[in-house]
Amino acid sequence: MQAYRMNWNYPTSVRVGAGRIAELADACKQLGMQAPLLVTDPGLAALPIIDSALKQCRDAGLNADVFSSIKGNPTGQNVMDGVVVYRVGHHDGVIAFGGGSALDAAKAIALMAGQDRPLWDFEDIGDNHLRVNVAGMAPVVAVPTTAGTGSEVGRASVITDGEAHIKRIIFHARMLPALVILDPELTVGLPPRITAATGMDALSHNLEAYCSPVFHPMAEGIALEGMRLVKEYLPRATAQGDDLEARLEMLVASSMGATAFQRGLGGMHALAHPLGALYDAHHGTLNAILMPYVLQANRSSIEPQMERLGRYLDLPRHDFTGVLDWVLELRSELDIAHNLAEIGIDDLQIERVGQMAVEDATAGTNPIQFDAGQYSAIFTRALHGQL
């Protein structure tokens, strides 16, 4: 793995390679932290990995503490509870440590640490980001332990509004963590089911960014290579959890997806966000299930892109059908559910989901501008497995 030990500076400062978690305290000091708050989820907080990270920081003279009261779909209340802990503990920076939920919550806590407006005032609508007191934002070191969301290189957080039962995107360009550690050893203990679901989330980011109609050739190129990495390494990482090469390549594919979706996302996320808010379902699993149904709905507008993708991935068929077949085969190989009913989602809120989807920020860059009824129809097909 020595050949995979690198320092990158795109889209932010990234330390890449096995064992580089040993540089966590140094990374904090590089950003001027003396008292970082490590934000993670309850599951990770109970594991030796967090004790080790805290010990490393404390042995280096840092007054580090931990906050872990975060749901699988983090809420605004989770964020503000973390802000209270940050302020009471006189912290001066955040270590975002964990999967996408922990990273999103941590970045939102760092944003809100020095703000005097409510969290929802910074929702990604219009010029809301101009309301942010940039001087009040805390620096962030991000340490992903799953390969899925790519939140470690993202400029936003997806946070659930518990009162309205919707997911809101909180955005500011400086929410991008200043330093990232991509260490595949931290992902080795991830169960196959979570490895598969988070890996499919990485695929969804790359795929939707690739299909976006927005002019951004750099993001398009990153998305293509990100999908190639998923094709080659996700089955390996799922089947052989201690394959460090596959684990690292999937971390990279995840970061590439979040970099590429500066170009935008689309219908998969427009539906996954309301379903996650209403049913508290796993985001990566939702995207994995929704993927072929949204692709089929977008088919008339993405045929040329699918032909290029089929060639780049060296699929048996270089057309839409070839890509769709590959997605279905990959889901089957990874034991991903074929329909939403299999994960406990019902048909009681079909119209509501459709309306929430059309209002979701990610719907704006879907290749076709579906209305609420069309989103409800896609949801219905995905619910019952009708491709």
Side-chain angles (χ1 to χ4, degrees), residues 324-344:
L324 183 63
D325 287 346
W326 167 62
V327 167
L328 293 171
E329 289 165 7
L330 179 61
R331 290 197 323 173
S332 179
E333 180 180 357
L334 299 177
D335 199 26
I336 300 284
H338 182 61
N339 61 65
L340 294 170
E342 293 181 48
I343 62 169

Side-chain angles (χ1 to χ4, degrees), residues 91-143:
H91 294 285
D92 57 6
V94 170
I95 301 170
F97 201 119
S101 298
L103 299 185
D104 275 9
K107 292 187 324 186
I109 290 168
L111 167 71
M112 294 300 297
Q115 310 301 319
D116 55 12
R117 284 176 170 270
L119 174 64
W120 306 133
D121 276 9
F122 308 116
E123 186 176 3
D124 188 18
I125 297 174
D127 291 332
N128 280 356
H129 63 281
L130 297 177
R131 297 171 169 176
V132 172
N133 172 16
V134 176
M137 297 176 69
V140 177
V141 174
V143 185

